[in-house]
Amino acid sequence: MNFLLTTSLYLFTVNLISCSITTQYYQHLINQRTKEALRYKLPTSNNEFKLGVESENTEEYGEFDFVIVGAGSAGSVLATRLSEIDDFTILLLEAGGEEDDFNQIPALWLYNQFSEKNWGYYSIPQKHSCLGMNNRQCVVPRGKLLGGSSSINGVMYSRGNCKDYDKWYQIGNRGWSCKDVLPYFKKSENSQISGDENYRGKGGFWNIEYPLPDSPLYQNFVNGSLELKQPIVEYNGKNQIGASHLQSNIKHGRRQSLATAFLDNSRHRSNLKVLTKTLVTKVVIDPQSKKATGVEFVTRNKKFHVRATKEVIVSAGAVNTPQLLMLSGVGPKDELSKLEIPVVADLPVGKNLIEHPILGLMVRSDYTPPKIGLNELIQQYLNGFGALTKGANVEGVGYIQTKNDSSEVPTIEILVSIPPHIDSSIFQRQFNYNKNIIDGLLDTIDPQRDIFFYIVLLHQKSRGRIFLNSGSPIDFPNIDFNMLSEQEDVDTLIEGVKYVQKLLKTHAFRKINATLLEVPICTNFKISSKEYMECLIRNLANSGSHPCGTAAMGPNNGNFVVGDTLEVHGVGNLRVVDASIFPSSISGHLNAPTVMVAEKAADLIKKEHKYL
Ligand SMILES: Cc1cc2nc3c(=O)[nH]c(=O)nc-3n(C[C@H](O)[C@H](O)[C@H](O)COP(=O)(O)OP(=O)(O)OC[C@H]3O[C@@H](n4cnc5c(N)ncnc54)[C@H](O)[C@@H]3O)c2cc1C
Ligand SMILES: *[C@@H]1O[C@H](CO)[C@@H](O)[C@H](O)[C@H]1NC(C)=O
Ligand SMILES: *[C@@H]1O[C@H](CO)[C@@H](O)[C@H](O)[C@H]1NC(C)=O
Ligand SMILES: *[C@@H]1O[C@H](CO)[C@@H](O)[C@H](O)[C@H]1NC(C)=O
């Protein structure tokens, strides 16, 4: 009796101590990383790989059936699926390093952008958008670690609209209609959402859940949406248009990057080798046979060549994939010739860059969020709930059709981000806003109590492009978003602003005295005039971190880079598998569609080699 009592007392004490050690560890980690992010200097080139690139020797690294470039969302899924076949050998090459406990905290996502986990890109100076940014350059965060952008993103899970994929099919892509791709969305997921079983998957690697609990403001959003005759929907189910609760790629509150969800389950396999801190500098393509035979890469200051006996698969993301293809001679002939890169295939690589412009509106209300100390927030996080589990603090999502037509595809997405915004200290760096705007914003907003409404333009008409700066893999590529070059895009965003204004006039929001805060810019225009709104949009709207389309999928007619098997037109043994292949825009966020593409690609490859 006595013995039992002491044992349980002893266990109890141990438990308490280990719990407080964990809390202290997180407190230290968060304090340290958030401070570092405010000072961190982003790189302006791939200089860390310079010694390797300039090395005189090239060592042979042997041969693998498949060499995959990039362990991001697509690469992590693809490597996991291909290594299910024991006969395949796979080498997965990733420029960045490992994930850690910090990047897995969803609410602190922004800080990763000011660390070595981000490539550090900015767009070239813009003409029509990002006019309020320093040197008119939009920020272009891109994950540089295992899991890629899924390891630093906002963990919002959305698949887009069924009709988006029917459009891919109509372009001439067999096997990519809505009904064709749905099984691949279901395959990857382990859904904790109470949705329609015909649409949702259970038992997959990737966990989807609601971040909890809701703030009371979420109900204001639901009630206000209902007043505007919007239905309440499960937006990844049958009907997308309406208001909804955000679904998130988290598991028990922690980020589920594709490295955590997939690669962690396959890395131990003896037929899969993963190399981090490794930059692929070139896909080697035989000029006679026009077949990819391997890649060159640098790691730890050394240069290597590795052979791919079956295929090279480029999954370097929508910015780096076109860069690598062009460095390897696959791209627009005139541009490559100017840089003296021998042309292997003349294809529109880097063109058709699609983005989702996003505008934030600040709203003051009488709602005051409860004050919760960091210690308690960490305890909540460790128990799988609370503010730290919410990517970008978003709770409410609306997919809205602002045009009066019957297309049933939303034009605008509204994201409702709930205070307090724990990441307010990074706010100044987030958008690269110039001093004038930052000072004005900081004077106006109170991150502790203001609600942020984000308006996303889902189907822009404008197109940008990625192009090379030089023929060296050390140089960053040029990113020209060219957002809002089409007036129609500005006009649709204005409809989005009007929608938020209507929402604020509903009983549900008037009840808490919600009012739009005026930003002290564009003061030469009459407030609420069309010209004023256009000025706000062109100054403040940013890229939504959703680049895609730069190696678009479609028929071999000069407008597309890969066919519907994702093989590069006119080049053998070379595939592109990532967000670059999207031929047209998606009515939602890009991570789930990218994972779908990788799941489908794995099956295409397995079928080709008669394993399916
Ligand atoms: C800040 C941010 C927030 C976002 N928020 C959301 C969200 O909430 N929900 C959502 O659905 N989507 C979101 N997205 C978009 C989504 O995360 C991306 O579209 C998706 O991860 C793209 O996957 P990918 O495989 O195409 O590229 P990535 O995941 O970017 O993977 C590319 C990988 O290749 C590596 N690589 C590149 N070049 C080389 C090279 N030469 N050699 C070796 N390795 C290389 C990179 O380091 C990276 O790991 C967000 C993106 C960002 C950046
Ligand atoms: C939302 O509407 C319901 C039903 O009318 C009501 O009971 C509830 O109080 C409302 N909540 C808010 C925050 O407006
Ligand atoms: C929008 O569509 C509805 C139903 O088709 C129609 O009754 C209404 O007049 C239209 N409104 C405008 C402004 O075109
Ligand atoms: C409502 O908000 C406005 C603007 O923030 C403020 O001036 C006003 O006093 C508020 N009214 C109430 C009743 O709180």
Side-chain angles (χ1 to χ4, degrees), residues 130-198:
C130 296
L131 303 187
M133 283 56 159
N134 290 313
N135 203 25
R136 297 180 164 198
Q137 289 178 285
C138 334
V139 294
V140 192
R142 297 269 82 200
K144 188 185 179 188
L145 70 164
L146 293 180
S149 297
S150 76
S151 296
I152 65 164
N153 76 7
V155 293
M156 298 174 214
Y157 181 82
S158 81
R159 298 172 176 179
N161 192 283
C162 191
K163 296 204 164 149
D164 301 335
Y165 303 99
D166 286 340
K167 195 168 168 193
W168 290 15
Y169 176 79
Q170 282 149 19
I171 290 170
N173 295 305
R174 291 154 303 172
W176 293 91
S177 73
C178 181
K179 100 178 147 14
D180 295 324
V181 300
L182 181 60
Y184 292 105
F185 279 111
K186 289 165 72 175
K187 184 178 185 183
S188 59
E189 80 168 337
N190 183 30
S191 169
Q192 313 293 326
I193 306 298
S194 48
D196 183 339
E197 273 173 33
N198 293 320

Side-chain angles (χ1 to χ4, degrees), residues 89-108:
T89 55
I90 298 124
L91 177 65
L92 177 61
L93 301 171
E94 168 54 47
E98 304 278 338
E99 288 191 86
D100 59 27
D101 288 327
F102 184 76
N103 84 281
Q104 297 200 330
I105 307 172
L108 303 179

Side-chain angles (χ1 to χ4, degrees), residues 46 49 68-76 92-97 109-110 113 117-119 121 140-159 206 246-249 255 258 275 277-282 296-298 314-321 323-324 327 391-392 415 473 544-548 577-582 588-595 598:
N46 294 319
F49 294 104
I68 303 175
V69 183
S73 299
S76 297
L92 177 61
L93 301 171
E94 168 54 47
W109 66 307
L110 278 177
Q113 293 178 27
K117 295 185 171 71
N118 178 15
W119 283 80
Y121 298 139
V140 192
R142 297 269 82 200
K144 188 185 179 188
L145 70 164
L146 293 180
S149 297
S150 76
S151 296
I152 65 164
N153 76 7
V155 293
M156 298 174 214
Y157 181 82
S158 81
R159 298 172 176 179
W206 204 19
L246 178 78
Q247 304 175 14
S248 191
N249 301 117
R255 175 189 296 276
L258 279 310
L275 279 186
K277 300 271 176 190
T278 299
L279 183 76
V280 175
T281 53
K282 192 181 181 180
E296 286 175 7
F297 65 86
V298 295
V314 183
S315 301
V319 173
N320 288 34
T321 285
Q323 180 195 25
L324 184 64
L327 287 174
L415 296 168
S545 292
H546 288 176
C548 61
V577 180
D578 60 25
S580 314
I581 69 100
F582 297 10
H589 300 247
L590 300 197
N591 207 17
T594 306
V595 171

Side-chain angles (χ1 to χ4, degrees), residues 233-252:
V233 291
E234 195 278 79
Y235 62 91
N236 291 311
K238 190 168 192 308
N239 298 309
Q240 187 200 12
I241 295 185
S244 203
H245 198 298
L246 178 78
Q247 304 175 14
S248 191
N249 301 117
I250 53 177
K251 185 174 182 179
H252 208 52

Side-chain angles (χ1 to χ4, degrees), residues 216-224 226-227 507-509 511-512:
L217 283 176
Y218 177 67
Q219 204 52 50
N220 295 82
F221 171 65
V222 167
N223 286 8
L226 283 170
E227 283 180 56
H507 177 68
F509 276 105
K511 218 164 66 178
I512 53 166

